[in-house]
Amino acid sequence: MNNRTILITGASSGIGKVTAKYFAERGWNVAATMRTPEKETELAKMPNIKLYQLDVTNDESITKALDGAIKDFGKIDVLVNNAGYGAVGVFEKATKEQIQKQFDTNVFGVMNVTRQILPYFRAKKGGTIINVSSMGGRLTFPLYSVYHATKWALEGWSESLQFEVRQFGIKIKNIEPGAIKTDFMTRSMDLFKKESLKDYDRYEEIATYNTEESYKSAPDSMVVGKTIFKAANDSSYKLRYPASGQASLFLFLRRLLPFGVFNGLVRGAVEKGFKN
């Protein structure tokens, strides 16, 4: 019987919830954290899952969740930094508050939780930190400039951090999904709006339509959950794990092709139907 313990942030829906169930079904102890655990009923019924209140922007809630999970399960072996969302749209329409909130969750939130668990992992001489990043942390698409900025920051931070913590047996692993069928395009998205700014409307309409069309054939969250499971059980110090065939293909093409050629492919797909 596996007695390893994983703590997952943002486990109330989408990738986080699927991952919690996937690990629990395979014998792991799961500390499923979310901002409002009192609203979660499905995960609460599973015998080896416990729910904890955790807001990645609140240090006190992070401390309580980590301490609670260690007390209840005896240890934490793996942290999954999954909590995040997309702030999307024409950059000129974004408010300062929207940009700050996106970084507070997607970047500083990951750093907040990681900073608090590192002393524990150092003391136990091991642990795995898995960050749910994106293929959008290494390539870009229109209308996602702020979201991409957070994921590029996450990738660079993780790549540097791995050098520092390897001496303690701590592994850093980034999961890089492509388009995934979750509530990312609905509940989990913050759209930039500015009614007085009309100049981008046609471009925004076409790029949004083409992007949404690509999501119709996307795999569901399980492909990410399985990739996280693979990373959690990988004893190597491998850093990056593309989490779908699309992600693997796009990242391969980004490495292979000159930037201008790859950029042209993106424009051809996302701007299809737009006449400049």
Side-chain angles (χ1 to χ4, degrees):
M1 181 70 174
N2 182 12
N3 66 346
R4 298 181 71 195
T5 299
I6 185 169
L7 185 143
I8 304 170
T9 68
S12 63
S13 65
I15 291 169
K17 188 169 187 175
V18 165
T19 301
K21 293 166 63 177
Y22 192 80
F23 274 79
E25 289 165 355
R26 281 150 188 81
W28 283 63
N29 297 319
V30 179
T33 77
M34 57 202 72
R35 287 178 295 179
T36 54
E38 64 275 7
K39 295 181 180 180
E40 174 56 45
T41 56
E42 184 181 5
L43 295 180
K45 296 176 182 177
M46 300 187 71
N48 48 335
I49 294 181
K50 291 185 181 296
L51 307 185
Y52 302 87
Q53 195 279 329
L54 190 154
D55 179 343
V56 298
T57 65
N58 183 292
D59 285 340
E60 183 179 356
S61 77
I62 296 169
T63 300
K64 288 182 178 179
L66 294 179
D67 289 347
I70 293 169
K71 179 181 178 181
D72 291 339
F73 292 118
K75 61 175 179 173
I76 297 172
D77 300 290
V78 178
L79 164 67
V80 178
N81 285 310
N82 168 71
Y85 72 100
V88 176
V90 170
F91 176 74
E92 194 176 340
K93 294 183 179 182
T95 66
K96 180 180 179 180
E97 291 74 21
Q98 285 176 310
I99 296 169
Q100 183 67 55
K101 184 179 177 182
Q102 177 77 135
F103 273 82
D104 283 344
T105 300
N106 288 13
V107 180
F108 305 135
V110 173
M111 292 181 176
N112 291 340
V113 181
T114 301
R115 189 172 58 249
Q116 288 212 34
I117 205 169
L118 280 176
Y120 172 76
F121 279 167
R122 267 195 300 108
K124 72 192 288 284
K125 299 297 182 184
T128 300
I129 297 169
I130 299 176
N131 303 314
V132 178
S133 180
S134 169
M135 70 175 183
R138 293 201 281 155
L139 50 84
T140 64
F141 298 97
L143 306 182
Y144 284 73
S145 62
V146 176
Y147 175 77
H148 282 307
T150 65
K151 294 303 183 180
W152 280 61
L154 182 61
E155 289 282 342
W157 170 75
S158 300
E159 189 172 306
S160 178
L161 180 62
Q162 66 169 341
F163 293 113
E164 301 171 17
V165 300
R166 182 168 179 156
Q167 62 184 307
F168 307 112
I170 301 170
K171 301 175 179 67
I172 307 294
K173 297 176 180 293
N174 283 2
I175 309 300
E176 299 172 333
I180 300 293
K181 284 182 180 175
T182 67
D183 59 0
F184 181 84
M185 296 295 288
T186 54
R187 185 186 70 84
S188 294
M189 183 173 284
D190 179 17
L191 296 175
F192 303 146
K193 297 178 181 179
K194 189 174 184 180
E195 296 301 326
S196 61
L197 179 56
K198 303 292 186 183
D199 291 356
Y200 295 97
D201 283 2
R202 181 60 179 159
Y203 181 87
E204 189 172 20
E205 177 186 355
I206 290 174
T208 298
Y209 173 80
N210 288 331
T211 300
E212 289 179 348
E213 283 294 299
S214 72
Y215 274 81
K216 292 181 178 180
S217 59
D220 62 26
S221 300
M222 184 57 72
V223 69
V224 185
K226 290 180 177 179
T227 306
I228 293 172
F229 189 79
K230 176 183 177 182
N233 287 283
D234 186 349
S235 61
S236 78
Y237 285 86
K238 179 179 177 180
L239 175 63
R240 294 186 168 98
Y241 297 75
S244 69
Q246 181 204 53
S248 296
L249 175 61
F250 271 75
L251 290 169
F252 171 74
L253 291 175
R254 180 64 186 89
R255 292 193 304 270
L256 178 70
L257 300 175
F259 174 74
V261 176
F262 183 82
N263 194 45
L265 291 176
V266 172
R267 294 187 64 185
V270 181
E271 298 179 0
K272 183 172 61 178
F274 177 75
K275 300 296 182 182
N276 192 355

